[in-house]
């Protein structure tokens, strides 16, 4: 769990295992595993530390062990018990509650749940995100890790989102889960009652309607980041050298981490939407300067703390069963604080990474071989348009 002043993210053991796999088994390189490696590199450089949920069948990897030895990666047990988390789930908006699976035992390659381009087996990505989520609801028993179905694997990503929000952590989902986590965030905000948005607007003393609040507070914002993966791969003399170069790149961007931590702290204390807009503009410039040339982008959003108050009130039989109904009964000052004090959830968005992947081909060829570089570029071409269209459909109206 994050300590005061720390910038910490929840990652899955699958993300770390996937990143380690492509370093130890060059023949296993695919687009989703490569992008998980990139996401892990970015998380290591951008943040102070990474944490994963502990599990009885914990997956130990060389990369995870190296990061753990440096104090940058560790497992933890949630401070909320499974029973408390399940009670929280009963008060979530329906669109989120029915897409929640809590299970810490998530480690290893997702297997044939996804193809080489990262597409989830059995789903049609051309129908838009809402239909995609409906398709996941209808999925049956495509095997994933162990006896877990694809459906459970996708929704367990939302369970991690809830745990991260409850503990004040950022969240880096692994590649194939990104669209489903992004879609869940959008649907969570949209499913809250209109009266709650009226209460939030009133508490902020700003004339914003519900739609404007969703657009302002729930929409993804992009911030500049250093070209982390490209730097690490360009400097590595071999796949075995990647962890060492990752730690060196991390050390170079201490100033960036300080700016990013300051940005998050100031954002949580901003009292008005106007202040938040100014902060975003100011820190986008500072982060761009600290990123150096050839910077990339990462998209971020905020996750409502869906556990606050509801956990304490969950045992009260006379209270409303709807989370939204519970919220609108709170004092105005409480609603304002609840709305403002949300942890950031960094989502590794494919729409900002995919257009640049052709530039990585020579780096992939250097470390994995020319054939691997050509194959990866083909996978990008096969999946990029599909996912960009899918994510574009997910943006708030």
């Amino acid at each position: 769990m994050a300590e005061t002043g720390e910038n910490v993210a929840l990652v899955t053991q699958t993300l770390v295992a996937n990143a380690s796999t492509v370093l130890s088994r060059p023949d296993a390189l695919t687009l989703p595993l490569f992008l998980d490696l990139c996401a892990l590199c970015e998380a290591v450089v951008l943040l102070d530390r990474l944490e994963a949920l502990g599990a009885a069948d914990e997956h130990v990897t060389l990369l995870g062990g190296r990061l753990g030895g440096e104090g940058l990666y560790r497992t933890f047990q949630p401070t909320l018990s499974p029973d408390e988390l399940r009670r929280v789930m009963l008060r979530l908006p329906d669109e989120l509650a029915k897409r929640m699976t809590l299970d810490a035992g998530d480690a290893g390659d997702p297997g044939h749940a996804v193809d080489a381009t990262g597409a989830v087996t059995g789903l049609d990505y051309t129908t838009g995100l809402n239909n995609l989520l409906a398709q996941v609801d209808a999925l049956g028993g495509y095997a994933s890790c162990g006896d877990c179905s694809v459906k459970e694997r996708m929704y367990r990503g939302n369970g991690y989102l809830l745990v991260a929000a409850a503990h004040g952590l950022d969240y880096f989902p692994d590649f194939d889960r990104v669209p489903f986590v992004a879609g869940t965030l959008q649907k969570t905000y949209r499913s809250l009652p209109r009266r709650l948005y009226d209460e939030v607007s009133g508490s902020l003393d700003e004339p914003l309607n519900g739609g404007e609040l969703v657009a302002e507070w729930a929409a993804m914002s992009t911030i500049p980041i250093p070209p982390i993966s490209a730097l690490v791969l360009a400097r590595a003399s071999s796949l075995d050298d990647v962890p060492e170069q990752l730690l060196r790149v991390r050390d170079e961007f201490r100033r960036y981490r300080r700016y990013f931590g300051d940005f998050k702290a100031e954002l949580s204390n901003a009292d008005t939407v106007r202040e938040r807009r100014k902060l975003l503009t100011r820190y986008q410039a500072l982060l761009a300067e600290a990123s150096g040339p050839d910077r990339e982008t990462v998209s971020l959003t905020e996750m409502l703390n869906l556990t606050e108050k509801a956990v304490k009130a969950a045992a009260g039989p006379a209270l409303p069963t709807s989370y939204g109904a519970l919220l609108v009964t709170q004092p105005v000052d409480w609603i304002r604080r609840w709305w403002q004090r949300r942890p950031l959830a960094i989502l590794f968005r494919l729409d900002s990474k995919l257009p640049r992947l052709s530039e990585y081909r020579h780096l992939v060829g250097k470390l994995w071989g020319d054939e691997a570089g050509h194959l990866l570029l083909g996978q990008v071409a096969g999946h990029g348009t599909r996912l960009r269209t899918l994510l574009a459909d997910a943006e708030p109206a």
Side-chain angles (χ1 to χ4, degrees):
M1 186 170 175
E3 299 172 9
T4 303
E6 281 192 309
N7 213 357
V8 182
L10 179 69
V11 297
T12 64
Q13 291 194 39
T14 296
L15 181 75
V16 179
N18 287 349
S20 188
T21 294
V22 296
L23 299 181
S24 60
R25 290 177 45 211
D27 61 314
L29 184 69
T30 62
L31 178 62
L33 298 192
F34 177 74
L35 287 173
D36 279 348
L37 173 64
C38 291
L40 183 64
C41 289
E42 289 167 0
V44 168
V45 171
L46 300 180
L47 299 159
D48 295 324
R49 193 178 69 254
L50 310 179
E51 299 194 348
L53 294 182
D57 57 346
E58 193 164 310
H59 195 82
V60 180
T61 66
L62 290 176
L63 183 55
R66 179 65 190 277
L67 295 175
E70 298 290 333
L72 302 178
Y73 172 65
R74 69 186 187 191
T75 58
F76 84 109
Q77 295 295 333
T79 56
L80 296 179
S81 70
D83 286 342
E84 287 175 319
L85 286 171
R86 289 186 179 92
R87 283 199 294 272
V88 171
M89 287 167 57
L90 295 176
R91 292 179 175 273
L92 298 180
D94 288 344
E95 290 287 1
L96 180 58
K98 73 180 183 180
R99 292 184 165 87
M100 193 70 69
T101 300
L102 296 172
D103 178 7
D106 185 46
D109 191 327
H112 65 271
V114 296
D115 66 21
T117 69
V120 177
T121 305
L123 299 183
D124 179 2
Y125 281 68
T126 65
T127 60
L129 188 57
N130 287 336
N131 283 336
L132 190 70
L133 293 172
Q135 289 182 68
V136 174
D137 284 333
L139 274 179
Y142 291 106
S144 180
C145 31
D147 59 357
C148 172
S149 71
V150 171
K151 177 178 177 179
E152 290 168 343
R153 174 174 160 72
M154 292 300 107
Y155 292 167
R156 195 167 56 230
N158 295 327
Y160 294 133
L161 186 65
L162 175 63
V163 170
H167 293 81
L169 303 174
D170 293 343
Y171 174 44
F172 272 71
D174 31 294
F175 173 89
D176 53 297
R177 285 171 166 153
V178 169
F180 304 97
V181 175
T184 295
L185 281 167
Q186 302 289 350
K187 295 179 83 67
T188 298
Y189 279 92
R190 288 173 171 176
S191 64
L192 292 173
R194 172 59 186 267
R195 183 184 165 196
L196 176 59
Y197 285 110
D198 292 340
E199 295 285 346
V200 171
S201 181
S203 73
L204 297 173
D205 196 26
E206 295 190 44
L208 299 174
N209 62 37
E212 289 171 330
L213 280 171
V214 171
E216 176 63 31
W217 296 73
M220 302 285 182
S221 299
T222 57
I223 60 170
I225 64 170
I228 296 164
S229 304
L231 288 172
V232 171
L233 298 180
R235 296 178 184 181
S237 59
S238 66
L239 293 178
D240 291 339
D241 190 36
V242 168
E244 179 63 31
Q245 297 306 322
L246 172 58
L247 294 174
R248 292 185 180 183
V249 170
R250 171 186 164 82
D251 188 59
E252 290 177 18
F253 288 98
R254 293 187 301 272
R255 184 167 62 119
Y256 184 97
R257 281 196 303 282
R258 185 177 75 250
Y259 285 157
F260 187 44
D262 291 346
F263 167 60
K264 289 176 60 181
E266 291 190 40
L267 192 68
S268 69
N269 290 316
D271 290 327
T272 67
V273 172
R274 188 175 298 107
E275 283 184 57
R276 291 168 60 87
R277 288 171 179 160
K278 289 181 178 178
L279 282 171
L280 182 59
T281 299
R282 177 190 171 205
Y283 276 99
Q284 279 178 329
L286 288 172
L287 294 173
E289 179 188 1
S291 294
D294 301 321
R295 56 182 171 266
E296 297 178 355
T297 61
V298 67
S299 295
L300 57 87
T301 188
E302 290 167 282
M303 178 62 182
L304 290 173
N305 189 343
L306 296 166
T307 62
E308 186 177 353
K309 192 74 173 184
V311 172
K312 300 174 184 177
L319 291 174
T321 57
S322 163
Y323 188 71
L326 174 66
L327 290 174
V328 297
T329 66
Q330 305 306 312
V332 169
D333 287 346
W334 187 94
I335 289 176
R336 183 181 68 251
R337 288 194 302 272
W338 167 80
W339 189 261
Q340 291 170 337
R341 304 299 190 263
R342 292 170 291 170
L344 291 179
I346 296 183
L347 300 176
F348 177 64
R349 287 287 300 275
L350 309 178
D351 50 358
S352 60
K353 175 64 71 173
L354 284 172
R356 299 202 59 165
L357 281 183
S358 60
E359 302 170 23
Y360 282 71
R361 179 171 56 175
H362 74 283
L363 297 174
V364 172
K366 182 188 80 165
L367 296 173
W368 283 273
D370 289 337
E371 183 178 353
H374 289 299
L375 286 174
L376 190 71
L377 193 61
Q379 292 169 5
V380 171
H383 201 45
T385 302
R386 174 169 50 190
L387 282 178
R388 283 197 298 272
T389 301
L390 175 69
L391 290 172
D393 290 344
E395 296 299 332

